[in-house]
Amino acid sequence: MTTVFIAGSISISRLHEKVQERIHKVVSSDFNVVVGDADGADTSIQECLYNFQANKVTVYCTGDAPRNNVADWPVHKVHSKAKAGSRAYFTAKDLEMARSSDYGLMIWDCKSTGTLSNVIELLREKKKSLVFVNKNKDFVTISDKSGLDHLLTFMSAHARAKAEGKINLSEKISSLSQEQLSLDVADAETSPVIKTELEDQDTIEKNSAYNESIKLRAALMSALKEHITRTHLSQSQAAKVFGVTQPRISDLTRGKVDLFGLDALVNMAATAGLRVEMQIRETA
């Protein structure tokens, strides 16, 4: 039986109608659901599940009792050796949910490191996520590192910097690169959560050619931003290294993917002494 991990940012207390519709489809498909016990999105998700009369729900908590369980669903208690109340303490249950599920349905505020960590952990487990980007009011399917790179373009430079400090974001991304994630897109056919998204989404995902270009550019931009962070370059220093103006570096760090062509990004990488490799394969 398919299990869906549903979670979101603690800052989100109201679920958009598109998210509610997606949760309703999960419940109607008779899928198992695992959800956390935190305030914010977790509680709103629980309330939505309750309103849709979901009964195949398990609430995960770290410690002896959940903070929220609106329908007294079964509880899975996760024990952590980390200090009670710390980030690592509560993250333990999220890691367990990622391992126990088949797919992720995430609601993200474009800055929450907890939700972002869930997406990354699911990727590490070779599992897909459907992420509702709250700022854009639409879904993005994350099935590989390129998709993750695209998702990160929604973050502001300030949010990205905070994520570096909280969860060592660049290191997490680098570890995914080393694992060379490769997920079989055909797996999406087994999940209405993902399948419906791919079939009826009226956004950029429909245009496969443009979407591939976005993914490639986002991946290159992410690599260039990681180089700036790793080498501790200021924007003016980075401009000299990449052979562009400082405003272009500002656009790069803010994830303005539509302002960069592939050739420009490749040239920037080459100017900085970085090697870009390309792999082409036929689609199934």
Side-chain angles (χ1 to χ4, degrees):
M1 174 64 70
T2 300
T3 298
V4 183
F5 173 16
I6 309 181
S9 307
I10 196 169
S11 64
I12 298 174
S13 58
R14 289 187 177 183
L15 302 183
H16 191 275
E17 60 181 15
K18 289 184 179 180
V19 175
Q20 295 184 46
E21 290 172 4
R22 193 66 57 175
I23 292 176
H24 184 250
K25 289 177 182 177
V26 170
V27 175
S28 299
S29 298
D30 206 29
F31 288 166
N32 293 321
V33 173
V34 294
V35 62
D37 66 331
D39 296 327
D42 279 356
T43 301
S44 297
I45 291 164
Q46 287 190 21
E47 290 172 348
C48 185
L49 289 165
Y50 175 74
N51 290 336
F52 289 136
Q53 300 181 334
N55 51 34
K56 293 186 176 180
V57 178
T58 301
V59 176
Y60 278 59
C61 71
T62 305
D64 296 327
R67 291 165 290 179
N68 296 285
N69 186 354
V70 302
D72 292 323
W73 289 300
V75 175
H76 182 94
K77 300 176 183 178
V78 178
H79 297 286
S80 172
K81 294 181 180 179
K83 181 180 178 181
S86 66
R87 176 179 297 277
Y89 179 79
F90 290 116
T91 297
K93 75 177 189 313
D94 296 324
L95 294 174
E96 187 66 27
M97 283 189 282
R99 284 190 289 266
S100 303
S101 60
D102 299 297
Y103 298 95
L105 175 57
M106 302 289 149
I107 306 98
W108 190 45
D109 61 3
C110 298
K111 59 185 178 180
S112 166
T113 54
T115 306
L116 189 56
S117 292
N118 289 339
V119 174
I120 293 173
E121 191 59 34
L122 284 161
L123 278 180
R124 199 182 307 280
E125 294 284 333
K126 308 291 190 294
K127 299 168 183 176
K128 299 177 179 65
S129 296
L130 185 61
V131 181
F132 184 80
V133 181
N134 211 46
K135 180 170 66 175
N136 287 35
K137 309 302 180 189
D138 218 338
F139 290 99
V140 176
T141 302
I142 312 300
S143 60
D144 53 24
K145 184 181 175 296
S146 294
L148 176 62
D149 289 334
H150 174 49
L151 183 67
L152 294 178
T153 64
F154 293 103
M155 296 183 82
S156 66
H158 178 68
R160 182 71 181 256
K162 290 189 71 173
E164 292 292 347
K166 286 184 177 181
I167 64 172
N168 296 317
L169 181 58
S170 292
E171 185 177 325
K172 285 180 176 289
I173 295 172
S174 178
S175 67
L176 286 177
S177 300
Q178 292 169 3
E179 291 175 16
Q180 296 182 333
L181 288 172
S182 178
L183 299 179
D184 184 3
V185 177
D187 288 345
E189 298 298 326
T190 64
S191 173
V193 181
I194 303 296
K195 182 180 178 182
T196 304
E197 170 62 16
L198 295 175
E199 287 179 344
D200 61 15
Q201 186 179 355
D202 291 326
T203 62
I204 188 174
E205 295 288 321
K206 256 189 174 182
N207 189 329
S208 59
Y210 184 69
N211 185 44
E212 287 303 314
S213 175
I214 284 284
K215 286 183 178 181
L216 289 171
R217 282 181 282 159
L220 276 168
M221 290 176 69
S222 179
L224 296 180
K225 286 190 285 185
E226 286 176 26
H227 181 74
I228 293 172
T229 300
R230 187 171 59 255
T231 54
H232 306 289
L233 295 174
S234 66
Q235 286 197 3
S236 60
Q237 290 171 329
K240 293 178 181 179
V241 170
F242 291 122
V244 296
T245 62
Q246 186 171 334
R248 289 292 276 168
I249 297 299
S250 178
D251 290 336
L252 176 75
T253 57
R254 287 184 296 166
K256 302 290 186 178
V257 66
D258 287 329
L259 299 182
F260 291 87
L262 276 174
D263 56 345
L265 292 166
V266 170
N267 289 338
M268 288 171 66
T271 302
L274 302 175
R275 180 179 177 183
V276 178
E277 295 182 349
M278 180 181 291
Q279 181 181 21
I280 301 175
R281 61 176 183 268
E282 294 183 359
T283 56

